[in-house]
Amino acid sequence: QNLLQQNIQDAEYFFLDKTIVVAYKHRYQGKWSSSEEEEFRKMRTLDHEKLNRFLGVSISENFAFYLWSYCERGDITVSILG
């Protein structure tokens, strides 16, 4: 699995198995609670054509990257204000 990174605006975009993935960077404070970990697991199981797929979290030093499948339509503000 080779990732090709492209920095664009506030998020970072990658290719993973020919799929575009969006990573949102946030400060990481050490450890999540068990309820937060359970929420991540539940989010990973959601799969619906109207939802962007949550792929997981990657931790690097003091940052967590929340990984989502890329939505070609843009975010909800683009859809509403479009």
Side-chain angles (χ1 to χ4, degrees):
Q1 297 177 1
N2 190 2
L3 295 177
L4 173 63
Q5 179 179 0
Q6 297 176 333
N7 293 322
I8 303 172
Q9 298 177 3
D10 295 333
E12 294 185 21
Y13 296 79
F14 302 88
F15 285 102
L16 175 62
D17 295 332
K18 299 181 182 179
T19 302
I20 301 174
V21 174
V22 182
Y24 295 99
K25 183 178 179 181
H26 298 276
R27 288 225 173 262
Y28 176 65
Q29 299 297 327
K31 186 171 175 132
W32 288 293
S33 69
S34 58
S35 63
E36 290 171 317
E37 290 177 356
E38 178 64 23
E39 188 172 349
F40 287 140
R41 281 191 287 279
K42 287 180 182 178
M43 288 170 53
R44 280 186 46 107
T45 63
L46 293 174
D47 189 17
H48 189 277
E49 66 182 59
K50 301 281 184 182
L51 296 175
N52 285 0
R53 178 105 191 209
F54 176 71
L55 303 172
V57 179
S58 177
I59 299 169
S60 176
E61 297 177 11
N62 295 328
F63 295 97
F65 294 87
Y66 298 89
L67 307 171
W68 296 85
S69 61
Y70 176 72
C71 178
E72 293 182 31
R73 298 180 312 269
D75 66 24
I76 193 158
T77 56
V78 171
S79 298
I80 292 172
L81 300 175

